[in-house]
Amino acid sequence: IGQCEAAFASVAEQKLVADTVVDLNTALHDAMANIDNYAAGIGLGIKTGIHEFDDAVGGLRPGAVTIVAGRPSMGKTAAAMNIAIHVAKNTHAAVFVVSQEMSRQELCERALAAEVKMMCNKLANGQMSPEERQQVTAAIDGMSHLPLYIEDAPGRKGSGRKRSVSSSGRAR
């Protein structure tokens, strides 16, 4: 109990409590104000490009953590990469992609295949017609300016994951 009291006193001294703790009445009124804003189309989250998801949860919201989960080989990484590209294209906000399963090469091949609506194996084995190659080249030209950053460390756990992107769009 003494440790809890000391921890609480420490937080209170830093005035963090005053900034983050509110009574239920205030929280409920804030929630209703947000609901009214959402009804008016104000403050909705960032659209993912997956209409069913956006309709169900209102898009990606600031401060919320969205986890893409499912069984193996169900398309989680492809869906997450498609969302990342959609957000980067439509908001011009910096997007940071981390995959514990795929390298940047694999992520980019999947993104390109999705962009040109081509099977991934054609890119992976290089067996494309000249027209398909031209489509891929055009997709690269169209996507290369996006503020999207990929961590190329499949399999790495937790450490070293912190990154920030400055207002200039540079990863630090």
Side-chain angles (χ1 to χ4, degrees):
I1 293 176
Q3 289 177 335
C4 290
E5 288 175 344
F8 184 76
S10 172
V11 169
E13 286 174 15
Q14 295 173 19
K15 297 185 182 183
L16 292 176
V17 171
D19 295 337
T20 61
V21 176
V22 297
D23 61 89
L24 181 61
N25 182 49
T26 301
L28 290 170
H29 282 88
D30 289 349
M32 191 62 203
N34 284 336
I35 291 167
D36 289 340
N37 285 338
Y38 300 151
I42 301 167
L44 293 174
I46 297 169
K47 300 297 181 193
T48 64
I50 301 173
H51 303 294
E52 296 84 3
F53 177 84
D54 293 336
D55 289 345
V57 300
L60 303 173
R61 296 184 185 221
V65 174
T66 303
I67 297 173
V68 179
R71 295 183 53 82
S73 299
M74 296 300 293
K76 300 176 295 292
T77 301
M81 196 66 184
N82 288 340
I83 291 168
I85 289 170
H86 179 84
V87 169
K89 276 184 182 177
N90 293 290
T91 67
H92 308 294
V95 178
F96 184 58
V97 176
V98 177
S99 174
Q100 289 190 348
E101 298 173 345
M102 293 186 185
S103 68
R104 71 176 178 203
Q105 179 70 31
E106 292 168 303
L107 291 170
C108 287
E109 286 175 5
R110 286 175 182 248
L112 284 169
E115 189 73 13
V116 299
K117 296 173 180 41
M118 180 185 299
M119 297 298 292
C120 290
N121 65 332
K122 283 191 164 194
L123 291 172
N125 64 26
Q127 302 300 311
M128 296 178 283
S129 68
E131 295 81 20
E132 290 170 327
R133 185 169 183 77
Q134 188 175 12
Q135 285 180 313
V136 171
T137 301
I140 289 171
D141 290 343
M143 295 168 67
S144 63
H145 71 281
L146 296 176
L148 198 147
Y149 303 88
I150 300 170
E151 181 177 55
D152 192 17
R156 187 164 79 186
K157 307 276 189 223
S159 67
R161 281 280 157 94
K162 291 185 179 181
R163 297 280 191 279
S164 64
V165 178
S166 69
S167 60
S168 67
R170 291 265 190 228
R172 293 189 276 163

